[in-house]
């Protein structure tokens, strides 16, 4: 599978991305639980792009690393960035009055999760789910 890019600018884009992610994970042969985890993680990342950055891109790739095969989801924006990444990754922290479970929850759903952010430059998130 080649890398597929999706622009994310609004709630309609998020809804389309959720449907795409569900279909893709199912086509890749993931279990129902893994499909839900992948779709939920991608939805959260896309929602954060709209909520905090206004727009960004997400990509989906099939990856093979050592003896693992799986789906890699990347989210990238050029928004205001996250000033305190450690604080943002803690449970119940929110700058928008939400429950503050999004990024920490997304990290728990992934088999591999990486995030980097710089104020005024943007945020990048990598979410990988391995196929068992």
């Amino acid at each position: 599978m080649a890398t597929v890019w999706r622009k994310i600018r609004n709630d309609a884009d998020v809804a389309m991305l959720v449907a795409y992610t569900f279909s893709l994970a199912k086509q890749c042969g993931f279990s129902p639980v893994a499909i839900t985890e992948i779709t939920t993680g991608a939805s959260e990342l896309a929602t954060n792009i709209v909520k905090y950055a206004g727009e960004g891109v997400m990509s989906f790739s099939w990856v093979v690393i050592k003896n693992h095969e799986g789906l890699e989801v990347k989210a990238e924006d050029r928004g205001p960035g996250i000033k305190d990444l450690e604080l943002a990754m803690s449970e119940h922290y929110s700058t928008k009055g939400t429950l503050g479970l999004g990024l920490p929850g997304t990290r728990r759903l992934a088999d591999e999760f990486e995030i980097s952010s710089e104020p005024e430059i943007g945020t990048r998130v990598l979410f990988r789910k391995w196929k068992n």
Side-chain angles (χ1 to χ4, degrees), residues 72-127:
E72 178 177 275
V73 180
K74 290 182 183 177
E76 185 175 342
D77 68 60
R78 298 194 189 290
I82 301 170
K83 291 184 174 107
D84 187 336
L85 200 50
E86 185 175 338
L87 184 59
M89 292 303 298
S90 64
E91 297 287 332
H92 305 294
Y93 174 77
S94 173
T95 59
K96 297 277 187 179
T98 63
L99 294 175
L101 299 172
L103 284 175
T106 302
R107 177 177 51 194
R108 281 191 304 277
L109 295 172
D111 292 327
E112 290 186 23
F113 181 90
E114 297 172 12
I115 185 169
S116 62
S117 188
E118 294 185 49
E120 307 309 318
I121 293 176
T123 302
R124 298 178 76 157
V125 179
L126 171 84
F127 176 107

